[in-house]
Every structure is written in structure tokens, then in C-alpha cells.
Amino acid sequence: MTERGPIEYWLSDMDGVLVHEGRPVPGAEEFVRRLSASGKPFLVLTNNSIYTRRDLSARLAAAGLQVPAGSIWTSALATARFLADQRPAGSAYVIGEAGLTTALHEADFVLTDIDPDYVVLGETRTYSFSQITRAIRLIEGGARFVATNPDPVGPSPEGSLPACGAVAAMITRATGVEPYFVGKPNPLMMRTALNVVGGHSERTAMIGDRMDTDIVAGIEAGLETILVLTGVTRKDEIARFPFRPHRVVPSIADLIDLIDLV
């Protein structure tokens, strides 16, 4: 791989990298503490659009990780920024929860089911058949279709739950209209995060646990990519992909010493 300079900006996935099933990955607490003390800009990224930044900061704190709300970037925030750039002060019919509706309100969007510019789909704990039906009819009437992320399923204590990508597929099957997915693996998620931290791609690292989302999005955004083996992708699966990360490490604990390199 091409030799790169020292890492000055850090982006990290959350689930599978810093936490696993609600518990911190060993070394994550020290990594976050050292990164905060270094003064280097960083963001924790997640495709989950349910929670606001403050919600996620509180959930991470409950797991022992002190990540300020301003250092969290979600697919909901990236979606709101994208839509605000595309159509300032626009309108949207939203299927989602506080993380998405709050982000769109803060982007000066009007949330309405009356002739909206967009139908915006995110995660929700309980997808409503009536909401999905309304979304289908609005898209048939000309509303543009945007979704926060393509993840087909999400975890729960009982097992998999249908997530944004699965519900988007149902709406697409009914309307024939494909959504524009903003979250990973779309490199737009990384680009908006880079803008938030004011970083340059040549000096920014993306840490993830999935080759098919975190790593490919980081590569397409021109970032240094680091795969940790504490989440979805196993070591023996890496060679199956036509791309590879710049580094592969057992866990986030193995990256602590990189923080202090100048």
C-alpha cells in the first residue's frame, strides 16, 4: 500500500470497534481518553439514525466511554446536511425517530406529508404500515426518495430486526424508485465527516470493523483505512474482497500508540 504520513484526524465506527453488544471493547476507553487528551480532531460515526448526538453520547458514557456529543456523526446528520445542500429550506415526509427528525429540523427543513420535496427513510423501532403506505403514495406523486443508510437488518436481544435498507427495498418494489442512500458505504458520509473535523483525506484515518461498509467507504473517500477484528469481518474473509485496508489489527487497543505519533 502507498506510504502515508502521520494521522492527524481520526474517524471511527462505533459498533464493533468501540462497543460490542453495549459493552466497551477492551482498550476502547484508553483509546478515547488518549485521543481526547491529544487534541486531535475525531468523530465517532454510525449509520444508526435513531438517536441524536446527545443520546449516543449518553449511551457511550453508560458503557464507560466519554465521547462528547460534538464528536459523534450519524447518518441522520449526514442526510440532513446533504438535503440542506441540495434544496435549502426544503420539505420532507420522514419515517424515523428523534435522531433524524431533529437533524432535519436543525437543517431548516419542514416536516410534512403535504406535497413534500422528499420522502426520507431512516430507522425506527416500530415501522408503521400506514407510514410506509403514505411514503409509497408520495413517491408515486413525485417526491424524491432518500434513505439514511442501506443496512438491511439491525441487532436486538431477540435477533435481527428489519432496518432501513430492508424497508427501502419494499418501497422500491412498490414504486419502482430506488432511494439515494447517504450513509456508509457511500463515501459522502466520510466526506461530510471530514468537513466537520476540518481534516484532509491524506492525514485522516477511518477505523471500522466491516470491509463492505467502513473500509470501502474510507478507501473511496481517500482515507487511511484500518480494519479491527472485533466486529463483523473476520480475518479469513479479508482476501475475498477486491480491495484491502491499509492496516489490519486485532482491536482498537492496538492503535493507542499511533495517536501520539507526530
Side-chain angles (χ1 to χ4, degrees):
M1 303 291 286
T2 304
E3 188 69 24
R4 299 171 66 100
I7 301 168
E8 298 179 16
Y9 304 88
W10 293 83
L11 307 178
S12 174
D13 185 38
M14 186 168 67
D15 294 316
V17 177
L18 299 177
V19 292
H20 182 69
E21 296 182 351
R23 297 182 178 181
V25 171
E29 185 176 358
E30 175 62 15
F31 178 85
V32 171
R33 188 196 67 76
R34 186 84 66 88
L35 195 53
S36 297
S38 74
K40 294 181 179 179
F42 73 96
L43 281 180
V44 174
L45 276 59
T46 177
N47 261 0
N48 190 312
S49 65
I50 289 178
Y51 303 105
T52 67
R53 281 172 155 179
R54 290 179 62 188
D55 295 335
L56 288 171
S57 178
R59 292 171 73 86
L60 287 169
L65 303 178
Q66 302 304 316
V67 180
S71 294
I72 295 172
W73 191 246
T74 71
S75 65
L77 292 165
T79 298
R81 178 164 292 195
F82 166 74
L83 292 177
D85 288 342
Q86 292 292 306
R87 189 172 292 262
S91 59
Y93 177 69
V94 178
I95 299 176
E97 301 218 13
L100 183 55
T101 57
T102 299
L104 287 167
H105 275 307
E106 291 177 349
D108 293 327
F109 255 62
V110 173
L111 306 190
T112 179
D113 66 348
I114 302 172
D115 192 27
D117 299 314
Y118 297 93
V119 166
V120 182
L121 176 67
E123 277 94 9
T124 176
R125 297 173 183 85
T126 53
Y127 284 104
S128 159
F129 185 79
S130 62
Q131 284 184 316
I132 293 170
T133 300
R134 184 62 177 151
I136 288 169
R137 292 172 181 170
L138 289 170
I139 292 168
E140 288 175 336
R144 302 151 189 86
F145 188 17
V146 171
T148 57
N149 69 81
D151 298 348
V153 295
S156 79
E158 295 79 25
S160 296
L161 293 173
C164 186
V167 178
M170 179 167 59
I171 294 173
T172 293
R173 186 63 183 265
T175 62
V177 177
E178 296 277 352
Y180 180 71
F181 290 109
V182 175
K184 298 176 293 182
N186 189 342
L188 179 65
M189 179 84 166
M190 303 298 176
R191 291 293 183 185
T192 57
L194 271 180
N195 290 338
V196 170
V197 297
H200 188 282
S201 59
E202 288 295 320
R203 301 190 301 276
T204 304
M206 174 63 201
I207 311 166
D209 71 303
R210 294 187 61 142
M211 288 289 288
D212 58 347
T213 57
D214 307 315
I215 301 305
V216 68
I219 289 171
E220 291 180 0
L223 312 182
E224 177 166 345
T225 52
I226 304 173
L227 179 72
V228 296
L229 301 175
T230 49
V232 173
T233 300
R234 301 190 308 268
K235 188 173 184 178
D236 61 357
E237 295 175 322
I238 299 171
R240 292 168 47 192
F241 293 86
F243 50 87
R244 58 191 178 121
H246 292 85
R247 304 173 194 251
V248 178
V249 297
S251 79
I252 195 77
D254 298 277
L255 300 176
I256 293 172
D257 289 341
L258 283 181
I259 295 172
D260 297 328
L261 294 179
V262 179

